[in-house]
Amino acid sequence: MTTYIPSITLPDAIFANPAAAILVPVGLGLGVGYSVGPKRTRQTYLALKQPPFRPPPQIFGPAWTSLYALMGYAAYRAWTTGTASLYPNTLQLTKQGATLYTIQLGLNIIWMPLFFRLKRPVEASANVILLTGVTGYLTYVWSQVDTGAAWCLAPYLGWLGFATYLSVATGYLNDWNFADKEQNSTSSNTGSGMDKEYVNKAPEQK
């Protein structure tokens, strides 16, 4: 059972401030997305064999931004409700949830580089399975502090279940190997890590 671990938990000030609580996950998510590269991410997504019900790539940006905002608001609600409680058990659950929240945010942030940049579907799928489990437990813990916070996490938890399906199924359909979808590119960016492209990359829309 995870307990409160201050050394790996976001500072109290982030949880206590609504703007900071929302902007931190939104900013981290957007930052990782842009560091991996929207164009590269889209090309990789379209190149791989995908399971049924895959969304179009343009859905992911708005969906994740909304979910990060809801996640942050849930953290703010749970923290402010729990730290104001007169019951020691509620305060303990609040802080325990803060550690779980930080862990799941870290797992969330590293999934995209694992999947799209490093092209490690096995590790990415293990990551999202663990992330879903941690978030489910977090939702349970914070539901005992503030039901509104738990409901704010419900869409995120549902989306993680869908993301787990997409990650695992995509890895399976591509034999758990994304590297064989690449070929040498005609680009002049040799040696920069950008000198490969996927053989079945969708043509650019003009």
Side-chain angles (χ1 to χ4, degrees):
M1 178 176 172
T2 304
T3 187
Y4 175 55
I5 308 174
S7 61
I8 64 168
T9 304
L10 289 170
D12 298 358
I14 291 177
F15 292 103
N17 185 294
I22 292 170
L23 289 175
V24 165
V26 171
L28 286 173
L30 290 174
V32 169
Y34 279 106
S35 69
V36 172
K39 183 177 179 182
R40 173 189 290 184
T41 300
R42 182 176 182 277
Q43 289 175 351
T44 303
Y45 182 75
L46 294 175
L48 298 168
K49 294 177 183 176
Q50 295 278 352
F53 310 114
R54 74 169 186 181
Q58 59 267 28
I59 292 294
F60 289 98
W64 274 114
T65 300
S66 301
L67 292 169
Y68 283 131
L70 270 175
M71 177 201 309
Y73 180 66
Y76 166 72
R77 274 195 66 128
W79 183 265
T80 53
T81 300
T83 54
S85 174
L86 299 178
Y87 299 98
N89 185 57
T90 301
L91 180 59
Q92 180 183 359
L93 288 169
T94 301
K95 293 190 171 185
Q96 178 188 354
T99 296
L100 289 168
Y101 177 87
T102 306
I103 292 171
Q104 70 80 28
L105 184 58
L107 290 170
N108 182 300
I109 293 305
I110 65 174
W111 180 87
M112 184 176 282
L114 279 174
F115 193 91
F116 289 108
R117 181 174 287 276
L118 300 178
K119 302 179 180 69
R120 304 296 293 267
V122 174
E123 290 84 349
S125 295
N127 171 276
V128 75
I129 290 169
L130 179 59
L131 169 59
T132 304
V134 171
T135 303
Y137 186 41
L138 168 64
T139 304
Y140 166 71
V141 168
W142 271 353
S143 71
Q144 300 173 74
V145 176
D146 182 82
T147 54
W151 280 112
C152 286
L153 288 172
Y156 174 48
L157 187 58
W159 183 264
L160 286 178
F162 183 52
T164 300
Y165 157 72
L166 290 176
S167 184
V168 173
T170 301
Y172 173 77
L173 290 173
N174 292 275
D175 299 319
W176 302 103
N177 180 17
F178 294 171
D180 64 357
K181 303 296 187 296
E182 295 175 342
Q183 65 178 4
N184 288 332
S185 170
T186 57
S187 168
S188 60
N189 295 323
T190 55
S192 65
M194 297 290 289
D195 56 331
K196 290 179 178 291
E197 62 184 13
Y198 286 87
V199 295
N200 54 341
K201 180 179 70 176
E204 291 285 327
Q205 299 253 343
K206 303 217 176 170

